[in-house]
Amino acid sequence: MTHQVHAFEPPERFVAGTVGPPGERTFFLQARGGGRLVSVALEKVQVSLLAEKLEELLTEAQRRFGVDLPELAPVIGDNEPLDTPVDEEFRVGTLGLAFDVDTATVVIEAIAAGEVEPEVELGDEDEDDDEDEEPDEDLDRLRVRLTPQATRQFIERARRVVNAGRPPCPLCGQPLDPAGHLCPRHNGYHR
């Protein structure tokens, strides 16, 4: 089966967003451009880590290559909902980040979660065949190339999306449902 590479270099819009009520949200990365719309599902922690690592990447690019970073904008950027229809192309298993020095752009690659198939060895097969292949080269991917300004806007929106969920319990840090939760710090009593 062939894999698809959904490349947006650059996209008209690239955002993190959610579908569903707090506590039941599904997180997506969505890219739009050239008449195409691609949405890939991922976990909340992946969105949070992506924003954190992008910030570190920009800081490192400034330190090592002298890239001019835009100031944090006091104005809230793109706060629109995800474009519809939100059809999941694949679920993200791996995220990759790079900084292209030649074009001064950030490259984000979301790679589909692979199907884990048990490997069966039947004897004296040549083991060098698999060493040349990248393990995830046949998986679908979403590749986006962003300017430092667009990367900053993505980071700010991703942080807003992650923080817009259920508030944390002040005692244990777990998310509070509207009906409360069983707090381990109160020996299982509702909080």
Side-chain angles (χ1 to χ4, degrees):
M1 187 170 153
T2 61
H3 69 282
Q4 286 189 308
V5 177
H6 305 281
F8 294 85
E9 300 181 3
E12 294 169 11
R13 182 180 191 223
F14 179 64
V15 295
T18 62
V19 173
E24 299 173 18
R25 298 187 300 172
T26 302
F27 286 78
F28 289 94
L29 294 178
Q30 189 177 72
R32 178 183 70 208
R36 298 179 302 145
L37 179 66
V38 175
S39 303
V40 295
L42 69 170
E43 299 297 322
K44 178 179 180 177
V45 68
Q46 289 175 300
V47 174
S48 180
L49 284 172
L50 178 59
E52 178 183 326
K53 295 302 179 185
L54 282 171
E55 190 68 50
E56 290 175 14
L57 181 69
L58 287 177
T59 303
E60 185 67 15
Q62 181 182 36
R63 187 184 69 76
R64 291 181 63 194
F65 308 116
V67 174
D68 290 330
L69 293 183
E71 294 296 321
L72 294 175
V75 178
I76 293 178
D78 184 352
N79 206 22
E80 297 298 315
L82 294 173
D83 293 332
T84 55
V86 181
D87 294 327
E88 179 182 324
E89 293 290 330
F90 59 84
R91 179 157 287 281
V92 175
T94 306
L95 289 165
L97 302 177
F99 187 80
D100 186 347
V101 179
D102 296 333
T103 60
T105 56
V106 173
V107 179
I108 302 169
E109 193 166 78
I111 304 169
E115 298 286 326
V116 179
E117 297 179 16
E119 293 184 19
V120 178
E121 294 187 22
L122 298 175
D124 297 331
E125 292 185 36
D126 188 13
E127 293 183 24
D128 293 336
D129 293 341
D130 294 335
E131 290 180 17
D132 295 336
E133 295 181 26
E134 193 175 313
D136 58 0
E137 72 180 16
D138 61 341
L139 299 175
D140 289 351
R141 13 183 116 229
L142 168 64
R143 184 177 302 132
V144 178
R145 186 177 297 267
L146 301 172
T147 64
Q149 176 68 34
T151 303
R152 272 275 161 83
Q153 291 171 354
F154 175 84
I155 292 167
E156 293 307 312
R157 177 178 168 121
R159 288 180 175 156
R160 285 194 316 268
V161 166
V162 167
N163 293 331
R166 298 173 289 173
C169 172
L171 298 175
C172 70
Q174 293 179 2
L176 286 173
D177 290 323
H181 79 116
L182 294 176
C183 184
R185 298 285 305 267
H186 277 137
N187 294 327
Y189 287 98
H190 273 282
R191 171 117 179 99

